Amino acid sequence: MQEKLRIAVQKSGRLSEDSLKLLKECGIGVPNGNNQLKINAENFDAEILFLRDDDIPEYVQDGVADIGFVGENVVLEKNKTADIVERLGYGKCRLSIALPKTRKKRTVKDLDGMKIATSYPFILNKWLKQNRLKADIHVISGSVEIAPRIGLADAICDLVSSGSTLFSNELYEFETILKSEAVLISGKKLSPKRRALLEKLLFRIRSVKKAKYNKYVMLNAPNKSIGKICSYLPGINSPTIVPLAKKDWSSVHSVISESDFWNVIENLKAAGAEGILIIPIEKMID
Ligand code: ATP
Ligand code: ZN
């Protein structure tokens, strides 16, 4: 039988939609599975396994799945044998220690001797040790944020993104111990065929990621400004310059990165660029 790449994704939760979207952008279709555990992907030698996110590191370690899309927080907490092969840029959150608003603390030393409720005992314990702190870790699996109010703990260590859950539970974020995002993990013992499929997928993921961080820019400018305009457009290649029907004017095309996007646009305008068009890039292949 044909060997397929077995890809684990979260069955239903915060990472499910973005993981399937990324696969789709890589040309891998996932048919609607009506709650199936396993389904064949379209256009790629792959099988998609829908699992609870907490189980993904172990399944990958044990070779039940070859690769998995999962939060780095879960990978580090489960501490299984698997490699992080790519950071994916979605599912961003942080693991933070939060305290009741009434308990204003100044330094991490103030955490000494506290009782901290968390679903992340492994990561928290490691952080406490690194900071030479002794705290009493109380493990709970859900609704960690209510622990201080019901007298179960003095503090919590939990995932935060906007901070609204903390706010509505009268807690404040005291210290971030981990910054996390979704990652792609791989087992250590993939067969050559499966490793080749992973390489193929990674190449596609990197092209999609790169395209997201870059924009295609087109603008018109008088020829006398072209030199200055080009100096603001490093791009991957040198810009394309096309003469316009309008005398002594040209159109300039290039690729700019999103990180310094607005600065570049402002500089281009100041240098005489007009009719600037910014176009999303679908894929970017080196
Ligand atoms: P499952 O039923 O699969 O065990 P879950 O309830 O443990 O799901 P979700 O709440 O869906 O998990 O979160 C999945 C992942 O999304 C987290 O492990 C984390 O990496 C990421 N994430 C991003 N933002 C947040 C947030 N504000 N709170 C919790 N997780 C977040
Ligand atoms: Zn979970």
mmCIF file of all heavy atoms in Angstrom, residues 203-228:
data_model
loop_
_atom_site.group_PDB
_atom_site.id
_atom_site.type_symbol
_atom_site.label_atom_id
_atom_site.label_comp_id
_atom_site.label_asym_id
_atom_site.label_seq_id
_atom_site.Cartn_x
_atom_site.Cartn_y
_atom_site.Cartn_z
ATOM 1 N N PHE A 203 8.257 22.948 2.164
ATOM 2 C CA PHE A 203 8.559 23.894 1.087
ATOM 3 C C PHE A 203 7.319 24.748 0.789
ATOM 4 O O PHE A 203 7.399 25.972 0.648
ATOM 5 C CB PHE A 203 9.004 23.123 -0.167
ATOM 6 C CG PHE A 203 9.231 23.994 -1.351
ATOM 7 C CD1 PHE A 203 10.407 24.724 -1.470
ATOM 8 C CD2 PHE A 203 8.262 24.114 -2.349
ATOM 9 C CE1 PHE A 203 10.608 25.554 -2.562
ATOM 10 C CE2 PHE A 203 8.468 24.950 -3.437
ATOM 11 C CZ PHE A 203 9.639 25.667 -3.552
ATOM 12 N N ARG A 204 6.166 24.092 0.756
ATOM 13 C CA ARG A 204 4.927 24.828 0.462
ATOM 14 C C ARG A 204 4.568 25.774 1.610
ATOM 15 O O ARG A 204 4.173 26.914 1.388
ATOM 16 C CB ARG A 204 3.780 23.837 0.226
ATOM 17 C CG ARG A 204 4.002 23.002 -1.024
ATOM 18 C CD ARG A 204 2.795 22.140 -1.300
ATOM 19 N NE ARG A 204 3.052 21.202 -2.381
ATOM 20 C CZ ARG A 204 2.138 20.414 -2.907
ATOM 21 N NH1 ARG A 204 0.895 20.453 -2.456
ATOM 22 N NH2 ARG A 204 2.437 19.588 -3.887
ATOM 23 N N ILE A 205 4.697 25.288 2.861
ATOM 24 C CA ILE A 205 4.369 26.139 4.023
ATOM 25 C C ILE A 205 5.249 27.388 4.011
ATOM 26 O O ILE A 205 4.779 28.506 4.227
ATOM 27 C CB ILE A 205 4.557 25.365 5.351
ATOM 28 C CG1 ILE A 205 3.469 24.297 5.496
ATOM 29 C CG2 ILE A 205 4.528 26.311 6.549
ATOM 30 C CD1 ILE A 205 3.600 23.416 6.732
ATOM 31 N N ARG A 206 6.540 27.206 3.726
ATOM 32 C CA ARG A 206 7.453 28.365 3.730
ATOM 33 C C ARG A 206 7.096 29.351 2.627
ATOM 34 O O ARG A 206 7.180 30.563 2.819
ATOM 35 C CB ARG A 206 8.903 27.878 3.600
ATOM 36 C CG ARG A 206 9.360 27.268 4.919
ATOM 37 C CD ARG A 206 10.670 26.545 4.840
ATOM 38 N NE ARG A 206 10.897 25.835 6.104
ATOM 39 C CZ ARG A 206 11.610 24.744 6.237
ATOM 40 N NH1 ARG A 206 12.214 24.207 5.189
ATOM 41 N NH2 ARG A 206 11.740 24.176 7.405
ATOM 42 N N SER A 207 6.646 28.847 1.479
ATOM 43 C CA SER A 207 6.250 29.751 0.383
ATOM 44 C C SER A 207 5.000 30.540 0.776
ATOM 45 O O SER A 207 4.879 31.728 0.471
ATOM 46 C CB SER A 207 5.952 28.964 -0.888
ATOM 47 O OG SER A 207 7.070 28.198 -1.245
ATOM 48 N N VAL A 208 4.073 29.879 1.445
ATOM 49 C CA VAL A 208 2.837 30.548 1.873
ATOM 50 C C VAL A 208 3.160 31.611 2.925
ATOM 51 O O VAL A 208 2.682 32.740 2.861
ATOM 52 C CB VAL A 208 1.838 29.505 2.462
ATOM 53 C CG1 VAL A 208 0.667 30.188 3.144
ATOM 54 C CG2 VAL A 208 1.342 28.575 1.371
ATOM 55 N N LYS A 209 4.024 31.240 3.902
ATOM 56 C CA LYS A 209 4.380 32.162 4.980
ATOM 57 C C LYS A 209 5.072 33.404 4.430
ATOM 58 O O LYS A 209 4.785 34.523 4.807
ATOM 59 C CB LYS A 209 5.347 31.466 5.952
ATOM 60 C CG LYS A 209 4.671 30.875 7.162
ATOM 61 C CD LYS A 209 5.625 30.096 8.025
ATOM 62 C CE LYS A 209 6.635 30.953 8.748
ATOM 63 N NZ LYS A 209 7.529 30.116 9.591
ATOM 64 N N LYS A 210 5.998 33.142 3.521
ATOM 65 C CA LYS A 210 6.767 34.235 2.944
ATOM 66 C C LYS A 210 5.842 35.202 2.202
ATOM 67 O O LYS A 210 5.970 36.430 2.323
ATOM 68 C CB LYS A 210 7.783 33.653 1.969
ATOM 69 C CG LYS A 210 9.004 34.465 1.876
ATOM 70 C CD LYS A 210 10.117 33.725 1.239
ATOM 71 C CE LYS A 210 11.114 34.772 0.792
ATOM 72 N NZ LYS A 210 11.961 34.291 -0.259
ATOM 73 N N ALA A 211 4.897 34.641 1.454
ATOM 74 C CA ALA A 211 3.958 35.477 0.703
ATOM 75 C C ALA A 211 3.149 36.357 1.652
ATOM 76 O O ALA A 211 2.890 37.515 1.363
ATOM 77 C CB ALA A 211 3.039 34.603 -0.135
ATOM 78 N N LYS A 212 2.787 35.804 2.818
ATOM 79 C CA LYS A 212 1.976 36.577 3.769
ATOM 80 C C LYS A 212 2.736 37.768 4.313
ATOM 81 O O LYS A 212 2.146 38.777 4.652
ATOM 82 C CB LYS A 212 1.565 35.681 4.945
ATOM 83 C CG LYS A 212 0.358 34.859 4.618
ATOM 84 C CD LYS A 212 -0.152 34.123 5.831
ATOM 85 C CE LYS A 212 -1.188 33.114 5.380
ATOM 86 N NZ LYS A 212 -1.214 31.903 6.184
ATOM 87 N N TYR A 213 4.048 37.640 4.450
ATOM 88 C CA TYR A 213 4.840 38.723 5.024
ATOM 89 C C TYR A 213 5.273 39.744 3.982
ATOM 90 O O TYR A 213 5.979 40.679 4.288
ATOM 91 C CB TYR A 213 6.077 38.159 5.739
ATOM 92 C CG TYR A 213 5.736 37.279 6.913
ATOM 93 C CD1 TYR A 213 6.345 36.046 7.094
ATOM 94 C CD2 TYR A 213 4.781 37.693 7.841
ATOM 95 C CE1 TYR A 213 6.004 35.230 8.165
ATOM 96 C CE2 TYR A 213 4.437 36.887 8.909
ATOM 97 C CZ TYR A 213 5.051 35.661 9.071
ATOM 98 O OH TYR A 213 4.711 34.857 10.121
ATOM 99 N N ASN A 214 4.900 39.531 2.734
ATOM 100 C CA ASN A 214 5.331 40.439 1.683
ATOM 101 C C ASN A 214 4.142 40.926 0.858
ATOM 102 O O ASN A 214 3.125 40.257 0.779
ATOM 103 C CB ASN A 214 6.322 39.733 0.759
ATOM 104 C CG ASN A 214 7.668 39.529 1.432
ATOM 105 O OD1 ASN A 214 8.463 40.448 1.538
ATOM 106 N ND2 ASN A 214 7.912 38.329 1.927
ATOM 107 N N LYS A 215 4.306 42.097 0.279
ATOM 108 C CA LYS A 215 3.264 42.661 -0.585
ATOM 109 C C LYS A 215 3.900 43.078 -1.910
ATOM 110 O O LYS A 215 5.067 43.464 -1.954
ATOM 111 C CB LYS A 215 2.657 43.923 0.052
ATOM 112 C CG LYS A 215 2.033 43.691 1.405
ATOM 113 C CD LYS A 215 0.601 43.224 1.287
ATOM 114 C CE LYS A 215 -0.021 42.958 2.632
ATOM 115 N NZ LYS A 215 -0.376 41.570 2.848
ATOM 116 N N TYR A 216 3.081 43.005 -2.950
ATOM 117 C CA TYR A 216 3.541 43.469 -4.257
ATOM 118 C C TYR A 216 3.129 44.927 -4.382
ATOM 119 O O TYR A 216 1.986 45.277 -4.094
ATOM 120 C CB TYR A 216 2.866 42.618 -5.338
ATOM 121 C CG TYR A 216 3.485 42.775 -6.699
ATOM 122 C CD1 TYR A 216 4.661 42.113 -7.004
ATOM 123 C CD2 TYR A 216 2.891 43.585 -7.667
ATOM 124 C CE1 TYR A 216 5.240 42.247 -8.252
ATOM 125 C CE2 TYR A 216 3.467 43.727 -8.918
ATOM 126 C CZ TYR A 216 4.639 43.055 -9.205
ATOM 127 O OH TYR A 216 5.210 43.188 -10.426
ATOM 128 N N VAL A 217 4.055 45.785 -4.742
ATOM 129 C CA VAL A 217 3.725 47.211 -4.849
ATOM 130 C C VAL A 217 3.954 47.699 -6.278
ATOM 131 O O VAL A 217 4.931 47.332 -6.929
ATOM 132 C CB VAL A 217 4.520 48.050 -3.795
ATOM 133 C CG1 VAL A 217 5.992 47.864 -3.925
ATOM 134 C CG2 VAL A 217 4.206 49.532 -3.885
ATOM 135 N N MET A 218 2.969 48.480 -6.762
ATOM 136 C CA MET A 218 3.090 49.090 -8.094
ATOM 137 C C MET A 218 2.842 50.585 -7.923
ATOM 138 O O MET A 218 1.929 50.973 -7.183
ATOM 139 C CB MET A 218 2.028 48.528 -9.038
ATOM 140 C CG MET A 218 2.142 47.030 -9.233
ATOM 141 S SD MET A 218 1.340 46.418 -10.724
ATOM 142 C CE MET A 218 -0.274 46.949 -10.610
ATOM 143 N N LEU A 219 3.638 51.387 -8.603
ATOM 144 C CA LEU A 219 3.431 52.834 -8.483
ATOM 145 C C LEU A 219 3.883 53.533 -9.758
ATOM 146 O O LEU A 219 4.621 52.953 -10.555
ATOM 147 C CB LEU A 219 4.223 53.367 -7.275
ATOM 148 C CG LEU A 219 5.737 53.123 -7.295
ATOM 149 C CD1 LEU A 219 6.486 54.248 -7.987
ATOM 150 C CD2 LEU A 219 6.231 52.987 -5.858
ATOM 151 N N ASN A 220 3.421 54.747 -9.932
ATOM 152 C CA ASN A 220 3.853 55.565 -11.060
ATOM 153 C C ASN A 220 4.692 56.722 -10.544
ATOM 154 O O ASN A 220 4.430 57.230 -9.458
ATOM 155 C CB ASN A 220 2.648 56.144 -11.806
ATOM 156 C CG ASN A 220 1.801 55.040 -12.418
ATOM 157 O OD1 ASN A 220 2.314 53.949 -12.698
ATOM 158 N ND2 ASN A 220 0.531 55.318 -12.610
ATOM 159 N N ALA A 221 5.689 57.126 -11.342
ATOM 160 C CA ALA A 221 6.528 58.245 -10.901
ATOM 161 C C ALA A 221 7.216 58.892 -12.093
ATOM 162 O O ALA A 221 7.464 58.230 -13.105
ATOM 163 C CB ALA A 221 7.579 57.739 -9.919
ATOM 164 N N PRO A 222 7.508 60.182 -11.956
ATOM 165 C CA PRO A 222 8.283 60.823 -13.032
ATOM 166 C C PRO A 222 9.683 60.208 -13.079
ATOM 167 O O PRO A 222 10.228 59.852 -12.029
ATOM 168 C CB PRO A 222 8.336 62.296 -12.608
ATOM 169 C CG PRO A 222 7.929 62.341 -11.184
ATOM 170 C CD PRO A 222 7.165 61.102 -10.879
ATOM 171 N N ASN A 223 10.238 60.088 -14.261
ATOM 172 C CA ASN A 223 11.537 59.404 -14.401
ATOM 173 C C ASN A 223 12.622 59.997 -13.514
ATOM 174 O O ASN A 223 13.484 59.289 -13.022
ATOM 175 C CB ASN A 223 11.993 59.437 -15.866
ATOM 176 C CG ASN A 223 11.151 58.471 -16.701
ATOM 177 O OD1 ASN A 223 10.466 57.613 -16.132
ATOM 178 N ND2 ASN A 223 11.185 58.627 -18.010
ATOM 179 N N LYS A 224 12.535 61.320 -13.278
ATOM 180 C CA LYS A 224 13.607 61.936 -12.483
ATOM 181 C C LYS A 224 13.593 61.455 -11.016
ATOM 182 O O LYS A 224 14.589 61.549 -10.315
ATOM 183 C CB LYS A 224 13.540 63.470 -12.558
ATOM 184 C CG LYS A 224 12.262 64.082 -12.040
ATOM 185 C CD LYS A 224 12.373 65.601 -12.080
ATOM 186 C CE LYS A 224 11.126 66.394 -11.837
ATOM 187 N NZ LYS A 224 10.062 65.930 -11.030
ATOM 188 N N SER A 225 12.443 60.912 -10.562
ATOM 189 C CA SER A 225 12.371 60.437 -9.158
ATOM 190 C C SER A 225 12.693 58.951 -9.018
ATOM 191 O O SER A 225 12.757 58.432 -7.902
ATOM 192 C CB SER A 225 10.968 60.648 -8.589
ATOM 193 O OG SER A 225 10.471 61.900 -8.926
ATOM 194 N N ILE A 226 12.837 58.270 -10.162
ATOM 195 C CA ILE A 226 12.969 56.796 -10.114
ATOM 196 C C ILE A 226 14.164 56.346 -9.260
ATOM 197 O O ILE A 226 14.059 55.403 -8.481
ATOM 198 C CB ILE A 226 13.076 56.211 -11.548
ATOM 199 C CG1 ILE A 226 11.796 56.488 -12.339
ATOM 200 C CG2 ILE A 226 13.370 54.710 -11.516
ATOM 201 C CD1 ILE A 226 10.577 55.728 -11.902
ATOM 202 N N GLY A 227 15.286 57.058 -9.367
ATOM 203 C CA GLY A 227 16.481 56.664 -8.621
ATOM 204 C C GLY A 227 16.208 56.649 -7.127
ATOM 205 O O GLY A 227 16.474 55.658 -6.442
ATOM 206 N N LYS A 228 15.612 57.724 -6.650
ATOM 207 C CA LYS A 228 15.320 57.833 -5.224
ATOM 208 C C LYS A 228 14.298 56.770 -4.803
ATOM 209 O O LYS A 228 14.448 56.099 -3.778
ATOM 210 C CB LYS A 228 14.781 59.245 -4.933
ATOM 211 C CG LYS A 228 14.577 59.510 -3.481
ATOM 212 C CD LYS A 228 14.927 60.940 -3.136
ATOM 213 C CE LYS A 228 15.124 61.084 -1.643
ATOM 214 N NZ LYS A 228 14.726 62.393 -1.166
#
